[in-house]
């Protein structure tokens, strides 16, 4: 009897030693809220003079941040920064491809508090400027063909470092719309209400249709382009694609199905655009 207990004890130790310490992070963690040690830092950064306006500026930047961990791999969206690769975590830091991404402030099974190390407010050495984010575990999200966190749907998130020609701009825009469509399809299947800020494009969704907002330089999607001129080219093509789409008569079973068809039509239109260059 003693031998059996001893063997069981050894087996438990071996399982504990061999288990992956990062397994507690498995799944998708969605941004929930932020906290700032000194809110005046944010007001100064965004040049805000009225109280209560901070979310108008900050939410487009971090409102759809997430950390996705699966089978030792991770994808992470933090502000404009998207990264994917090998995932590791210890008691203090989360790393992707060996680079520290978050400092772990607090861990619970359903919520975590993290300090994003790449967020501009956290880059200096002054802790008074720090911003921490709270993430909630997404109990519904599963990886499938509509996994919008996957690298194949996020190629457009590589920031332009120089001016781009019109075809490259259109290609990036088409990828952005494809992401928006996959995000919308996935989220509409998971939840009763889609968090449309995650579409990351200037669309407004209504009970009877979809509308395109005016050009707005503070929106995140537009800041992946190099400068104002490239941004304007992207927005003008989006307007053109939207106008071509709204002329169509979609046969849909409900408003969500209609919105999905509109996004797919815009995506297809942009993918069909080929700029002919003359030498």
């Amino acid at each position: 009897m003693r031998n059996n207990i001893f063997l069981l004890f050894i087996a438990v130790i071996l399982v504990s030693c061999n288990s992956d310490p990062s397994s507690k992070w498995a799944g998708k963690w969605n941004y929930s809220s932020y906290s700032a040690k000194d809110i005046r830092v944010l007001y100064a950064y965004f040049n805000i003079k009225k109280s209560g306006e901070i979310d108008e500026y900050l939410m487009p930047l971090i409102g759809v941040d997430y950390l996705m961990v699966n089978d030792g791999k991770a994808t992470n969206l933090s502000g404009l920064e998207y990264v994917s690769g090998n995932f590791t975590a210890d008691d203090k830091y989360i790393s992707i491809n060996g680079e520290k991404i978050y400092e772990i402030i607090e861990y619970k099974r359903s919520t975590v508090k993290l300090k994003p190390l790449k967020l501009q407010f956290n880059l200096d050495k002054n802790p008074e400027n720090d911003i921490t984010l709270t993430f909630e575990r997404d109990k519904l999200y599963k990886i499938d063909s509509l996994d919008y966190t996957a690298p194949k749907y996020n190629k457009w998130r590589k920031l332009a470092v120089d001016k781009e020609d019109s075809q490259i701009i259109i290609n990036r825009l088409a990828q952005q719309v494809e992401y928006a469509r996959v995000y919308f399809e996935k989220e509409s299947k998971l939840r009763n209400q889609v968090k449309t800020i995650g579409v990351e494009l200037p669309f407004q969704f209504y009970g009877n249709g979809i509308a395109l907002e005016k050009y707005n330089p503070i929106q995140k999607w537009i800041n992946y382009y190099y400068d104002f001129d490239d941004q304007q080219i992207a927005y003008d093509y989006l307007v053109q694609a939207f106008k071509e789409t709204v002329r169509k008569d979609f046969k849909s079973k409900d408003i969500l199905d209609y919105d999905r068809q509109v996004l797919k039509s815009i995506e297809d239109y942009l993918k069909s655009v080929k700029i002919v260059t003359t030498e």
Side-chain angles (χ1 to χ4, degrees), residues 28-31 60-68 74-84 96 101-102 116 133 135 148-149 154 156-157 179 198 200 220 224:
K28 186 168 184 277
W29 300 83
N30 297 328
Y31 164 85
L61 180 65
I62 65 172
V64 292
D65 281 7
Y66 62 77
L67 171 67
M68 178 71 180
T75 54
N76 180 71
L77 179 62
S78 180
L80 292 172
E81 186 92 10
Y82 173 87
V83 64
S84 65
I96 299 179
I101 303 296
Y102 292 107
L133 306 182
F135 291 79
Y148 58 80
T149 72
N154 289 274
W156 57 274
R157 293 191 189 276
Y179 173 89
E200 294 193 55
K220 185 162 72 170
Y224 287 95

Side-chain angles (χ1 to χ4, degrees), residues 24-25 29 104-109 111-113 137:
K24 68 179 184 180
W25 293 96
W29 300 83
I104 302 169
I105 307 301
E106 181 182 76
Y107 175 90
K108 296 179 180 178
R109 284 188 59 84
T111 61
V112 292
K113 289 184 180 180
R137 189 188 292 273

Side-chain angles (χ1 to χ4, degrees), residues 114-128:
L114 305 174
K115 175 184 171 181
L117 300 178
K118 297 286 187 177
L119 196 64
Q120 53 262 56
F121 309 106
N122 296 336
L123 292 177
D124 60 31
K125 303 254 178 158
N126 185 359
E128 294 304 313

Side-chain angles (χ1 to χ4, degrees), residues 2 10 32 38 122 166 174 199 208 212 261:
R2 286 184 176 179
I10 294 296
S32 174
D38 188 349
N122 296 336
S166 294
V199 172
N208 60 350
L212 183 64
Q261 290 187 61

Side-chain angles (χ1 to χ4, degrees), residues 5 9 14 37 65 125 134 138 141 179 213 226 231 237 242 250 260-261 270:
I5 293 175
F9 176 71
L14 289 174
K37 289 188 176 180
D65 281 7
K125 303 254 178 158
T134 297
D138 191 330
Y141 198 95
Y179 173 89
E213 296 177 336
Y226 182 71
Q231 292 175 0
Y237 271 105
F242 185 77
F250 296 108
R260 286 193 292 267
Q261 290 187 61
L270 290 169

Side-chain angles (χ1 to χ4, degrees), residues 72-182:
K73 303 289 184 180
T75 54
N76 180 71
L77 179 62
S78 180
L80 292 172
E81 186 92 10
Y82 173 87
V83 64
S84 65
N86 295 324
F87 174 87
T88 54
D90 54 28
D91 292 337
K92 192 169 183 181
Y93 293 104
I94 290 172
S95 300
I96 299 179
N97 293 331
E99 185 176 8
K100 293 175 181 176
I101 303 296
Y102 292 107
E103 180 181 346
I104 302 169
I105 307 301
E106 181 182 76
Y107 175 90
K108 296 179 180 178
R109 284 188 59 84
S110 58
T111 61
V112 292
K113 289 184 180 180
L114 305 174
K115 175 184 171 181
L117 300 178
K118 297 286 187 177
L119 196 64
Q120 53 262 56
F121 309 106
N122 296 336
L123 292 177
D124 60 31
K125 303 254 178 158
N126 185 359
E128 294 304 313
N129 296 344
D130 285 356
I131 291 179
T132 59
L133 306 182
T134 297
F135 291 79
E136 294 181 351
R137 189 188 292 273
D138 191 330
K139 297 178 181 178
L140 298 177
Y141 198 95
K142 306 295 182 185
I143 290 182
D144 56 20
S145 61
L146 293 176
D147 176 24
Y148 58 80
T149 72
K152 68 178 180 179
Y153 293 125
N154 289 274
K155 295 177 182 178
W156 57 274
R157 293 191 189 276
K158 185 177 180 180
L159 288 166
V161 295
D162 203 347
K163 289 192 69 63
E164 298 174 328
D165 63 39
S166 294
Q167 188 64 65
I168 294 176
I169 291 172
I170 293 168
N171 293 346
R172 183 193 293 270
L173 180 60
Q175 291 173 358
Q176 288 179 305
V177 178
E178 180 183 32
Y179 173 89
R181 189 257 308 166
V182 172

